[in-house]
Amino acid sequence: GAGVSQSPSNKVTEKGKDVELRCDPISGHTALYWYRQSLGQGLEFLIYFQGNSAPDKSGLPSDRFSAERTGGSVSTLTIQRTQQEDSAVYLCASSDRTSGRLETQYFGPGTRLLVL
Amino acid sequence: DQQVKQNSPSLSVQEGRISILNCDYTNSMFDYFLWYKKYPAEGPTFLISISSIKDKNEDGRFTVFLNKSAKHLSLHIVPSQPGDSAVYFCAASGGGSTLGRLYFGRGTQLTVWP
């Protein structure tokens, strides 16, 4: 079956521009997560959506970052006024929360963002 | 504050031998632990998991051991194969305010040489 997909796979932008990153989760998965991995670092949690509940935004590093999930499926992560320190791989994951709390998150291939 | 730590950034093992990757955590609320494998330019791939009610979980060549008292887990790969060469991430999740998110270590680069 289809896994998590993300687009674009690579994005180069200039400092100060806005970018949008897209995630299509596995069909039927109710939970969706965004993480980022900076060079030499582990994955850092950004935001989490579960069904119709209010998202957990506690990992967003600044108010330049926002995300939405439309129709309980596709999600868009938006970074406004990008800075060079935003350069990272942005990873989306989804999980089937209905199977119980101890669910496994499945990751997409990521979007490599480079801010010049 | 790194709640999941992988203190070895790299490990080199000969093909056929055992690879042991280690992970330590600090948050006693964590009750589910996962290992992911990551190749360059790809997203992490789920490998194996263990819940805190167990101390061992096995899947083919991969076994994860959990020592709750020491807040330590390890991944054993036997026998190691060149295709196992990748970065391995340890991750943990728990309830309460941390519900939903995974906490990751910084990864260990495993190289299996012929």
Side-chain angles (χ1 to χ4, degrees), chain A residues 6 8 18-19 22 33 36 40 55 69 71 79 81 94 103 108:
Chain A
Q6 293 185 245
D18 298 351
V19 295
R22 177 188 166 105
Y33 314 79
R36 74 175 175 181
R69 188 179 185 192
I79 309 173
R81 305 179 304 280
S94 70
E103 80 281 7

Side-chain angles (χ1 to χ4, degrees), chain A residues 55-78:
Chain A
D56 174 359
K57 304 179 182 180
S58 59
L60 295 178
S62 78
D63 58 8
R64 296 185 295 103
F65 288 73
S66 63
E68 62 177 21
R69 188 179 185 192
T70 53
S73 182
V74 171
S75 177
T76 302
L77 177 69
T78 301

Side-chain angles (χ1 to χ4, degrees), chain A residues 14-58:
Chain A
E14 294 178 349
K15 178 181 173 181
K17 296 284 181 71
D18 298 351
V19 295
E20 284 190 353
L21 313 179
R22 177 188 166 105
C23 172
D24 279 274
I26 293 172
S27 177
H29 278 191
T30 59
L32 186 148
Y33 314 79
W34 284 98
Y35 295 85
R36 74 175 175 181
Q37 184 183 15
S38 302
L39 193 62
Q41 302 295 312
L43 279 73
E44 172 192 6
F45 168 80
L46 296 177
I47 188 169
Y48 154 54
F49 296 89
Q50 168 55 31
N52 295 321
S53 303
D56 174 359
K57 304 179 182 180
S58 59

Side-chain angles (χ1 to χ4, degrees), chain A residues 33 35 58 101 104-105 108 112, chain B residues 31 36 41 99-102:
Chain A
Y33 314 79
Y35 295 85
S58 59
R101 191 178 72 75
T104 297
Q105 296 181 22
R112 283 146 197 81
Chain B
D31 60 2
Y36 286 85
L99 181 66
R101 70 177 68 180
L102 287 176

